Amino acid sequence: MAGKSIQVFFKLIQREILLAIRHGSDSCMIVLFFVIVVVLFPLSVGPEPGILTRISAGIIWVSALLSVMLSMDRLFQSDYEDGNLDLLILASEPLELIVLAKTVAHWLTTGFPLIIISPVLALFLNMDTSGYSTLLIALTLGTPTLSLVGAIGAALILGARRSGVLLSLLVLPLFIPILIFGVSAVDASLTNLSSKPQLLILGGLFLAGLVLCPWASAAALRQAAE
Amino acid sequence: MAGKSIQVFFKLIQREILLAIRHGSDSCMIVLFFVIVVVLFPLSVGPEPGILTRISAGIIWVSALLSVMLSMDRLFQSDYEDGNLDLLILASEPLELIVLAKTVAHWLTTGFPLIIISPVLALFLNMDTSGYSTLLIALTLGTPTLSLVGAIGAALILGARRSGVLLSLLVLPLFIPILIFGVSAVDASLTNLSSKPQLLILGGLFLAGLVLCPWASAAALRQAAE
Amino acid sequence: MTSFSGKKLTCIRGERVVFNDLDFSINEGEVLYLKGPNGSGKSTLLRLMAGLLRPVNGTLTWNNKNIYQDEGLFRSLTHYVGHQDAVKTALTVEENLRFWAEMNSDIKEKSTVQKALQEFSLDSFSTLPARFLSAGQRKRLNLARLCTTWAPLWLLDEPSNSLDSDSVNVLTAAISTHQKKGGIVAIATHENLDVHSNSLDISMFTNFKIKSRDYDGW
Amino acid sequence: MTSFSGKKLTCIRGERVVFNDLDFSINEGEVLYLKGPNGSGKSTLLRLMAGLLRPVNGTLTWNNKNIYQDEGLFRSLTHYVGHQDAVKTALTVEENLRFWAEMNSDIKEKSTVQKALQEFSLDSFSTLPARFLSAGQRKRLNLARLCTTWAPLWLLDEPSNSLDSDSVNVLTAAISTHQKKGGIVAIATHENLDVHSNSLDISMFTNFKIKSRDYDGW
Amino acid sequence: MFNYFANPVRFLRLTSKLQPITMFVASVTIGLGLYYGLVKSPPDYQQSETVRIMYVHVPAAWMAMFCYVAIACSSAVALIWRHMLANIIAKSTAPIGASFTFLALATGSLWGKPMWGTWWVWDARLTSVLILFFLYLGYMVLYNAFDDQSRGARAAAILSIVGVINVPIIKFSVDWWNTLHQPASVIKMDGPSIHPSMLTPLILMAVGYTALYFWLLFVRTRAELNANKVRMMSIQQVET
Ligand code: HEM
Ligand SMILES: Nc1ncnc2c1ncn2[C@@H]1O[C@H](COP(=O)(O)OP(=O)(O)OP(=O)(O)O)[C@@H](O)[C@H]1O
Ligand SMILES: Nc1ncnc2c1ncn2[C@@H]1O[C@H](COP(=O)(O)OP(=O)(O)OP(=O)(O)O)[C@@H](O)[C@H]1O
Ligand SMILES: [Mg+2]
Ligand SMILES: [Mg+2]
C-alpha cells in the first residue's frame, strides 16, 4: 500500500510537470513576471542607487511573493473546472498525498526558477554581494512555504467569484511572516550580523507548513467538490 | 439606430454593475488588495519614514497598477466560460460598443474606488500633503486608461492557460508609461514644480486609449470566439 | 422567399480540415437536421452559420446575399443556442432572460419575457437566482431566449441534451410553430426530434481517413 | 452477494431540500435507472452515492457496511462519470486515459489502455492532443475509463449525452458486460438505454411543498 | 446540552431574554470603567495622562483575540457537526471582532505617537495584530464570495481555523522577540503585576466589552436567523 502511494505520488508530480511543459512556457512566464515587477520599482522609485541598494532585498522578496501568488490561482482551478478534481477526490489514495504532490510540482515549476534567477536581479538592483548567499538560502527555505500556504488559498477560492483578487486577500497576510523574516535575514547579513535566527525561523515555518498545510488544503478541496 | 445603441450601452453598464453588486464585495476586494500591497512595502523596505515618504507616490502607483491588473482577468473570462460571449458577439450592436460599456463598468467598480481610498494610504505612507491633489488628478486620468488597455489583454488571454500570469505579461509593459508619468506628476508637485505637462500626457494617453482600445479588444474577442 | 445557403464550405479547426466542399441550403419553413457521428463537424458548421467562425473557403448567403456584407443585419436575424448555457448564475432567471430580450429588441412589455418563461415551465422559478437551476433547467432557460424575440434563423446545437421528455415536447412544438411562421432552423442532434424536416449527413464531407500530410510537422 | 443501498437519505443543496427520506437498493448484477424531470435531484443523488456530497440525514451502505467507515476502500470500488469530462486538453488521448488507469491500479501493460480506447473507437486518436476532440469524443474518452480498471460500482450521470448511436451501443454493451460480471450500475438519464434494469423515480421523494418546519430557524 | 441550545428556536427564545441583560451590563460596566479610568485613577508616574488610553486599548486587544478564537471554535463545530447555528455565530462575530481589532490598532497607534514617537513600527506584536485584522477581513469576504451561502460558510470556516495559529503569535510575540511593545502584566502565570487602582477600571472595561460583544452577537445572530427564514420562505413561495 505504501509502495503504491509513493508510486502515485511521483506519478502525479510527473504528470503535473508534463502538463506544465506541454502548456509551453509556464515557468518562463512566471520568471518573466518576476523580472517585470522587479523592474517596475526602479521605474517608480527613481534610479538613485543608494535607495535601490537599501531596499533591494525587500523588492526581490515582494516580487517573489507576488509572482508565487499569481501563479497559485490555477493550481486547482483547472482541475476543478474540467472535472478532474472529482476524480482525484475519489481516487483511493488519501487526498492529502495528492495535494502534497501537486504542491511539490508547483514549487518545482515556479519557486525553483525564481531562486535560480534571483542573483541576476540582485545584481541589477545593486545589492551588496555579501547578501547573495543568504538571499539564496532564504528563498530556498521560504518559497516552498509560500507554495504550501498558497495551496490552501487556492483550494479555498474554488468556485468563488473574483478568485484572483480573493486569493491574494487570503494568502498575502499569511505570507507576511515569511516576507519579514526573509527580508530581515538578508538585511542582517548585509550589515554583517548573523542571519541564523531568521533562517531557523524560516526553516521552522517550512516544516510546520509541510505538516499542516496539506491537511487544510485537502479539507478545503473536499468541501469545494460538494 | 443610434438611440437603440445608447440604450444598449447603458443597459450593459447597468447589468455589469448589478452583477458586481450581486457578487457582493467585488469592489471592496480590490480596494483591500490595494491596501494590502501598499502595506507590504513598509514591511519589506523597513519603516524609516524618510525612505517611505520618498517613494510613497511610486508605491501607490505600483499598487494601483497591480490591483487593476489583477481585477482585469475576469472582465471577459466569465462571459467566455459561460457562453455569454458568443451571444454578445452575435448581438446586433457593434462589439466595440459592448466592449466600451464593459470597460466603463469595470472602471466604475474598480478604478474609481481606488481613487477614493488613495488619500488615506498616502497619509499612511507619510506623503507630503502638497502632492495629494496631483495624485488624485493623476489617478483619475490614469486609471481609466489602465482599464482600457487592460481590456485588450483580458480579451487576448481568453482560452489561454495560466491566464493570470499571461495577462500581467501582456499588460504590464503597456502600463509602464502611465506609471512613469503618473509618478513623475506627483513627484513634480512634491518638489513644487508644475505637474501640468505630465497630466497633459496622461490625458492624451486616456483619449488615445478611448479611441483605440475598444477596437483592439473587440478584434481580440472575435478571434477568441472562433 | 427567404433562404439560407452555403456553397463549397471548407473549414479548418485546430490545423485540421473538418469538412470540405460542403453545400447546404434551407428555405423558408424548413428544418435542417445536421447528422453525423461524433467529431464529424456539426458544431463547427453551426458556429460557421452563426458567423462565429469563418470558413477558409466558400460562401454563406442569406437571400442570395453574402452574409459578411452586412454582418450587423445578419446577426439580428439569428438565434444561436450553443453547447454552453449562457446563464449568469448571480442573476435571477427572469433577469437573465430579460437582458437578452432587451439586447435584441426594443420590447418594453414584461409579458413577452413572462410568456417565454411560462412556455418552458420556468415561470415558477422566475425570481430565483439561476444558480439554483439543474442542468436541464439551465438548458431550458437558454432555449427560452428563442421565444422572446423574433429571428427567422435558429441555430441549435444539441438542444435536447439533458432535457426531460416534457421539455423535449415543448421544444419540438416551438420549432414547429417557428416553421409555420416561415422561420428557418438548423439543428445538430443525435436524437430524433419529432419535427418535419430534411437532414444533412455531415460525415459525407468529412475525411475520416486523415492523410498523414494533414499532420505534417506536428 | 454485493449490494449497495441507501436508507432515509435527505439531501440539502444550496439551502434547499432536494429529496427527503429516499431509499434505494441495488444488488449484484443490477442496473438502477434514476428517472425524473429536470431538477428532481438525479445528479445530486449520484454525487451522494459517490461520496462527493454528504447526506444531511440517512446512511449509505456497501455490503451492509456504512461507506464512511472505510472511505478509501469504498472509493477504490467506484467509477464515477459526471457531467464534466475530466479531460486534460494538453495531454494526448492515451496519456489522459493511462493516467487514470495507473492512479486506480498497478497495471503496467499497455494493452489495457489500448483495449479500452479501441472499445470506444478512439484508438485512431490515441496520440492526438485531447483538445482536438469534439463533445462526443470527449465523453467517450471519459467513458473509456470504465473499461481500464475493474470497479464493481459504476455511477453514470447522463452518459449518453452527445454520443452518436454507435457509441451508445458500445456503452450499453459495456454496461451489460459489467452486469454479467456481477457489477452494480446506477445511471441518471432521460433516454432509454437498451439495458435490463430497475428504475427509481426520484420525483417521488422530492417534496416540492416544503413544510416550514424543515427550515425552522435557518 | 450543546445540542439542546443548537436548536434555533430555543436559541431565539433564550437570547430574547439575554439580550436586554447583556445590554444593561455592558452600558453599566463600560460607564463605570470609563469613569474610574478617565477620572478616578491616578496618572502614571512615567506616562502621565496618556496612560488612560490603556483602558480602551488593552481590553479591545483582548477582545480582538477572544473573538477570533470564538470564530475558530464555532467554525470547528460547524464543520464537524454541521450546525447551521455555529456558522451564524461565527459569521456574526467576525465584524464585531474586526471592529475591536481596529479599535486596538487605532488606539495603539494614537498611544504610540507620544510614547514611541511614531504612529507605527513594524515589530512582531503590531504586525501580527495587523495580520489578525486582515484575517478578519479575508474571512468576511470569503464568506460572501460564493453563490451558495453554505459553500462560503465552509470555506471561511477552514480559513479561520488555519488562521488561529496567529493568535498565540500575537500573545507571545512580546516574549519571543524583543519588541517596543510592553510585555503582559495582567494575564500571566504568576498573577497580575499592576496597581489595583489601575486594575479595577481595566477589569470593568474588560467585562463591559465582553458584555457588549454578547449583546451585539445576539442582535446580529437574531437578525441573521430571521433573514434566513425570510429567504427560505421566499424560496418556498416560488415552489408551491
Ligand atoms: C498599533 C499599535 C499597538 C497594537 C497593535 C497593540 C496590541 C496589543 C495587544 C494585542 C495587547 C494584548 C496583549 C496580551 O493580552 O498579552 C496589548 C496590550 C497592551 N498594550 Fe498594546 N498595542 C499597540 C500599541 C501600544 C502602545 C503604544 C502602548 C503603550 C506604550 C501599548 C501598551 C499596552 C499595554 C500596557 C498592554 C497591556 C499588557 C498587559 O498588561 O497584559 N500598546 N496591545
Ligand atoms: N450546485 C448547486 N447548488 C445549489 N443547488 C443546486 C446545485 N445543483 C443543483 N441544485 C438544486 O438541486 C436540485 C436538483 O438538481 P440536480 O442537478 O440533481 O437535478 P437533476 O435531476 O440532475 O436535473 P437535470 O435532469 O436537469 O440534470 C435542483 O432543483 C437545483 O435547484
Ligand atoms: N476548439 C477546437 N479546436 C480545434 N479543433 C476542434 C475544436 N473543436 C472541434 N475540433 C475538431 O473539429 C472536428 C469537428 O468537431 P465538432 O465539435 O464540430 O464535432 P461534432 O460533429 O459537433 O461532434 P459531436 O457530435 O461529438 O458534438 C472534431 O473532429 C475535432 O477534432
Ligand atoms: Mg458538437
Ligand atoms: Mg443532472
Side-chain angles (χ1 to χ4, degrees), chain C residues 42-44 83 157-158 188, chain D residues 134-136 162:
Chain C
K42 302 178 293 300
S43 305
T44 307
H83 273 295
D157 199 350
E158 311 204 27
Chain D
S134 76
S162 42

Side-chain angles (χ1 to χ4, degrees), chain E residues 57-58 61-62 105 108-109 111-112 116 125 171 181-182 184-186:
Chain E
H57 168 77
V58 176
W62 288 342
L105 282 169
S109 353
W111 202 358
W116 308 331
R125 161 62 60 86
K171 179 74 195 152
H181 195 281
Q182 85 159 64
S185 53
V186 181

Side-chain angles (χ1 to χ4, degrees), chain A residues 92-146:
Chain A
S92 42
E93 306 312 313
L95 188 56
E96 286 76 14
L97 186 86
I98 292 173
V99 168
L100 188 63
K102 282 186 79 85
T103 318
V104 171
H106 177 263
W107 180 76
L108 285 175
T109 52
T110 61
F112 186 63
L114 291 192
I115 300 176
I116 306 288
I117 194 97
S118 61
V120 181
L121 294 174
L123 188 72
F124 173 79
L125 294 171
N126 283 321
M127 186 194 270
D128 205 84
T129 42
S130 60
Y132 281 33
S133 60
T134 316
L135 179 69
L136 282 183
I137 299 174
L139 281 174
T140 312
L141 288 171
T143 47
T145 323
L146 295 181

Side-chain angles (χ1 to χ4, degrees), chain E:
Chain E
M1 195 215 70
F2 176 77
N3 262 307
Y4 184 83
F5 287 110
N7 179 317
V9 181
R10 246 174 249 129
F11 181 84
L12 280 176
R13 220 179 300 136
L14 180 73
T15 50
S16 69
K17 294 199 194 87
L18 287 177
Q19 207 176 319
I21 301 178
T22 47
M23 188 179 80
F24 178 74
V25 173
S27 40
V28 169
T29 47
I30 290 180
L32 276 179
L34 285 178
Y35 173 70
Y36 275 107
L38 301 186
V39 183
K40 282 290 272 255
S41 74
D44 192 74
Y45 73 101
Q46 258 184 337
Q47 310 187 349
S48 70
E49 300 293 342
T50 51
V51 76
R52 301 187 195 284
I53 298 179
M54 179 175 74
Y55 306 116
V56 183
H57 168 77
V58 176
W62 288 342
M63 287 311 291
M65 291 186 283
F66 171 79
C67 288
Y68 196 87
V69 175
I71 291 178
C73 289
S74 42
S75 293
V77 170
L79 279 183
I80 298 167
W81 288 292
R82 305 229 158 178
H83 273 302
M84 198 56 198
L85 190 60
N87 268 330
I88 291 180
I89 288 178
K91 184 189 183 189
S92 319
T93 301
I96 309 174
S99 314
F100 279 126
T101 315
F102 183 75
L103 189 63
L105 282 169
T107 53
S109 353
L110 284 177
W111 202 358
K113 189 69 185 171
M115 298 313 301
W116 308 331
T118 159
W119 300 105
W120 187 260
V121 284
W122 292 100
D123 82 349
R125 161 62 60 86
L126 275 61
T127 308
S128 52
V129 174
L130 188 67
I131 292 174
L132 183 71
F133 185 60
F134 285 139
L135 280 174
Y136 273 117
L137 296 182
Y139 176 89
M140 291 188 282
V141 172
L142 188 62
Y143 205 112
N144 293 313
F146 291 87
D147 285 329
D148 183 344
Q149 276 268 337
S150 53
R151 279 279 333 264
R154 263 174 282 137
I158 292 173
L159 176 73
S160 71
I161 291 171
V162 169
V164 91
I165 202 166
N166 189 36
V167 173
I169 294 179
I170 297 179
K171 179 74 195 152
F172 298 115
S173 51
V174 278
D175 304 329
W176 294 344
W177 295 283
N178 53 340
T179 58
L180 272 180
H181 195 281
Q182 85 159 64
S185 53
V186 181
I187 305 178
K188 50 183 205 176
M189 303 299 281
D190 42 3
S193 59
I194 182 174
H195 193 270
S197 67
M198 290 168 114
L199 191 59
T200 316
L202 200 58
I203 301 255
L204 276 174
M205 288 296 284
V207 172
Y209 275 23
T210 315
L212 177 68
Y213 161 68
F214 278 107
W215 176 53
L216 289 174
L217 177 71
F218 293 150
V219 173
R220 289 187 57 85
T221 39
R222 290 169 66 84
E224 199 72 38
L225 284 170
N226 289 331
N228 268 336
K229 240 185 191 162
V230 170
R231 206 164 61 234
M232 282 308 136
M233 272 150 73
S234 68
I235 287 175
Q236 280 169 48
Q237 228 171 20
V238 164
E239 290 182 345
T240 44

Side-chain angles (χ1 to χ4, degrees), chain A residues 4 7-8 11 15 18 22-23 78-84 86-92 225-226, chain D residues 47 50 52-54 72 75-76 80 84-88 90-92 95 99-100 102-103 106 108 145:
Chain A
K4 166 94 194 300
Q7 198 180 318
V8 165
K11 186 85 209 152
R15 179 204 194 208
L18 182 66
R22 283 285 164 78
H23 280 169
S78 59
D79 283 328
Y80 177 73
E81 279 160 8
D82 63 18
N84 270 289
D86 286 347
L87 298 184
L88 286 175
I89 292 176
L90 292 178
S92 42
E226 290 221 338
Chain D
R47 287 181 80 82
L52 286 167
L53 268 177
R54 294 278 168 124
R75 282 194 246 117
S76 68
Y80 170 78
Q84 292 158 309
D85 290 329
V87 165
K88 284 279 168 215
L91 300 180
T92 67
E95 281 166 343
F99 173 75
W100 288 112
E102 291 180 356
M103 275 294 276
D106 287 308
K108 276 279 164 314
R145 249 185 325 119

Side-chain angles (χ1 to χ4, degrees), chain B residues 226, chain C residues 13-19 36-45 83 157-158 188 190 202 206 208, chain D residues 125 128 131-138 140 162-164:
Chain B
E226 289 223 339
Chain C
R13 260 189 119 172
E15 305 167 6
R16 287 185 45 206
V17 177
V18 178
F19 47 73
N38 293 141
S40 50
K42 302 178 293 300
S43 305
T44 307
L45 180 55
H83 273 295
D157 199 350
E158 311 204 27
H190 296 292
I202 293 217
T206 315
F208 262 121
Chain D
F125 301 95
L128 221 62
R131 78 189 117 105
F132 284 104
L133 300 185
S134 76
Q137 287 162 341
R138 276 172 208 226
R140 263 147 55 183
S162 42
L163 288 188
D164 56 21

